[in-house]
Amino acid sequence: ATYGLGQFLLAAGVIAVRCPTDLLVVTVGHVPDRELVGARAAGVIAALEVEFAPVVGLAPAQSVEGWTAVPLRAPGAVLGVLLVPGAAPDRSTEAERLVAILATGLGIALSNALLHQRSSRLATTDELTALPNRRSGLAALGEAVTRAGTSGRPFGVAMIDIDHFKVVNDVHGHLVGDQVLAHVARVCHGAQRFDDQLFRFGGEEFLAIMPGLPPHRLAAAAERMRAAVEA
């Protein structure tokens, strides 16, 4: 589709969003080299984060190797960049004004979506260990029971408790205790099978749900996690 903004026609467009672990690139229309455009977008975002992070409001559009780059912003942060084909329009022209309006709307929508995503993640994720929390674990356990009842497929459950954890907190302090919790979570998660689930159940307790695991293999699975922590 071709999108008309006054006399400024967009036959294609790219939205690149900075995510915690990578860059999310969404294209509309014909974009010949998506990987190259994504690399250009990453470079633009990195430069914008340095140059415009303290600025409230829109940073000006820039020309970047055949594209117009317009920042997508929230107050005090660069969320991503909008790329449209062609050189950046001259300042104070109708084309620039309309592109700025488009970028503003996209920035607000993106900011709201990221805020909603973060709120949802905090409701179901333990911030310290990055594992799903107790609420998620109980919901997953209920689903596992229901599936087992209808399919007859067994599953295993392990309750994991860190021995002498109170001593760690009392002797070394709660910050070290937090490091121990995060470390044990990573080790146990790494010792699980691909489809196993691990949850922070509360305090120094964790819950593991292991689909398809018959009773005679459950002890070995739990021992594998214990031995990994010991090691």
Side-chain angles (χ1 to χ4, degrees):
T2 301
Y3 301 89
L5 295 173
Q7 299 302 310
F8 195 66
L9 298 179
L10 307 181
V14 178
I15 298 174
V17 182
R18 173 75 75 191
C19 297
T21 57
D22 57 5
L23 186 73
L24 174 64
V25 178
V26 180
T27 62
V28 177
H30 178 59
V31 178
D33 193 334
R34 192 170 183 274
E35 187 172 336
L36 178 60
V37 170
R40 287 174 179 166
V44 171
I45 293 173
L48 289 171
E49 287 176 333
V50 173
E51 188 173 355
F52 295 111
V55 179
V56 176
L58 275 173
Q62 303 178 34
S63 293
V64 182
E65 299 182 45
W67 294 83
T68 294
V70 189
L72 303 178
R73 295 175 48 81
V78 176
L79 303 177
V81 65
L82 167 68
L83 297 176
V84 295
D90 294 333
R91 298 289 182 84
S92 304
T93 63
E94 181 71 4
E96 187 195 40
R97 187 181 71 83
L98 291 171
V99 170
I101 291 172
L102 175 60
T104 300
L106 286 171
I108 292 171
L110 180 58
S111 179
N112 290 337
L114 292 173
L115 181 61
H116 176 72
Q117 183 186 57
R118 174 171 170 76
S119 298
S120 300
R121 186 172 65 249
L122 288 176
T124 58
T125 304
D126 174 62
E127 193 170 5
L128 177 63
T129 62
L131 293 176
N133 60 16
R134 180 190 183 97
R135 177 189 298 179
S136 301
L138 291 175
L141 187 58
E143 293 171 2
V145 170
T146 300
R147 283 196 302 269
T150 55
S151 69
R153 185 172 181 241
F155 69 96
V157 176
M159 289 298 300
I160 302 164
D161 183 272
I162 302 176
D163 290 341
H164 313 300
F165 185 68
K166 184 177 183 304
V167 176
V168 173
N169 282 332
D170 290 345
V171 174
H172 301 286
H174 288 275
L175 290 178
V176 173
D178 288 349
Q179 293 176 357
V180 169
L181 286 169
H183 178 70
V184 170
R186 287 193 298 269
V187 172
C188 288
H189 186 268
Q192 291 187 301
R193 302 173 306 164
F194 177 76
D195 56 349
D196 291 345
Q197 296 173 284
L198 184 67
F199 305 86
R200 169 90 182 276
F201 203 67
E204 67 270 31
E205 293 181 333
F206 299 88
L207 168 70
I209 300 177
M210 295 164 273
L213 197 67
H216 67 275
R217 290 177 53 198
L218 179 56
E223 170 59 19
R224 185 168 61 248
M225 285 186 283
R226 189 210 63 78
V229 172
E230 181 183 36

